[in-house]
Coordinates of all heavy atoms in Angstrom, one line a residue:
Chain A
S41 N 42.6 -24.3 -17.6 CA 43.2 -23.0 -18.0 C 43.6 -22.2 -16.9 O 44.2 -21.2 -17.0 CB 42.2 -22.4 -19.0 OG 41.1 -22.0 -18.2
E43 N 45.2 -22.7 -14.6 CA 46.8 -22.8 -14.4 C 47.5 -21.6 -15.0 O 48.6 -21.2 -14.6 CB 47.3 -24.1 -14.7 CG 46.8 -25.3 -13.9 CD 47.3 -26.6 -14.4 OE1 48.0 -26.7 -15.4 OE2 46.8 -27.6 -13.8
E44 N 46.8 -21.2 -16.0 CA 47.6 -20.0 -16.8 C 47.2 -18.8 -16.1 O 46.0 -18.4 -15.9 CB 47.1 -20.2 -18.3 CG 47.5 -21.4 -18.9 CD 47.1 -21.5 -20.3 OE1 46.9 -20.4 -21.0 OE2 46.7 -22.6 -20.8
E45 N 48.1 -17.9 -16.0 CA 47.9 -16.6 -15.3 C 46.9 -15.8 -16.0 O 46.2 -15.1 -15.2 CB 49.3 -15.9 -15.2 CG 49.3 -14.7 -14.3 CD 49.2 -15.1 -12.9 OE1 49.5 -16.2 -12.4 OE2 48.6 -14.3 -11.9
D46 N 46.9 -15.8 -17.3 CA 46.0 -15.0 -18.0 C 44.5 -15.2 -17.8 O 43.7 -14.3 -17.6 CB 46.2 -15.0 -19.6 CG 47.6 -14.5 -19.9 OD1 48.0 -13.6 -19.2 OD2 48.0 -14.8 -21.0
Y47 N 44.3 -16.5 -17.6 CA 42.8 -17.0 -17.4 C 42.5 -16.7 -15.9 O 41.2 -16.6 -15.5 CB 42.7 -18.5 -17.7 CG 42.6 -18.6 -19.2 CD1 43.8 -19.0 -19.9 CD2 41.4 -18.4 -19.9 CE1 43.9 -19.2 -21.3 CE2 41.5 -18.6 -21.3 CZ 42.5 -19.0 -21.9 OH 42.6 -19.2 -23.3
R48 N 43.5 -16.7 -15.1 CA 43.1 -16.5 -13.5 C 42.2 -15.3 -13.3 O 41.3 -15.4 -12.7 CB 44.3 -16.6 -12.8 CG 44.0 -16.9 -11.3 CD 45.3 -17.3 -10.6 NE 45.8 -18.7 -11.0 CZ 47.0 -19.1 -10.6 NH1 47.7 -18.4 -9.9 NH2 47.4 -20.4 -11.2
E49 N 42.7 -14.2 -13.9 CA 42.0 -12.9 -13.6 C 40.7 -13.0 -14.3 O 39.6 -12.6 -13.7 CB 42.8 -11.9 -14.1 CG 42.3 -10.5 -13.6 CD 43.0 -9.3 -14.1 OE1 44.3 -9.6 -14.5 OE2 42.7 -8.2 -14.1
E50 N 40.6 -13.6 -15.5 CA 39.4 -13.6 -16.2 C 38.3 -14.5 -15.3 O 37.2 -14.2 -15.2 CB 39.5 -14.3 -17.6 CG 38.5 -14.0 -18.5 CD 38.7 -14.8 -19.9 OE1 39.9 -14.5 -20.4 OE2 37.8 -15.3 -20.5
A51 N 38.8 -15.6 -14.9 CA 37.9 -16.5 -14.0 C 37.5 -15.7 -12.8 O 36.2 -15.8 -12.4 CB 38.7 -17.7 -13.6

Side-chain angles (χ1 to χ4, degrees):
Chain A
S41 67
E43 291 173 6
E44 298 174 33
E45 192 66 28
D46 289 344
Y47 284 98
R48 195 164 293 171
E49 194 180 337
E50 197 179 319

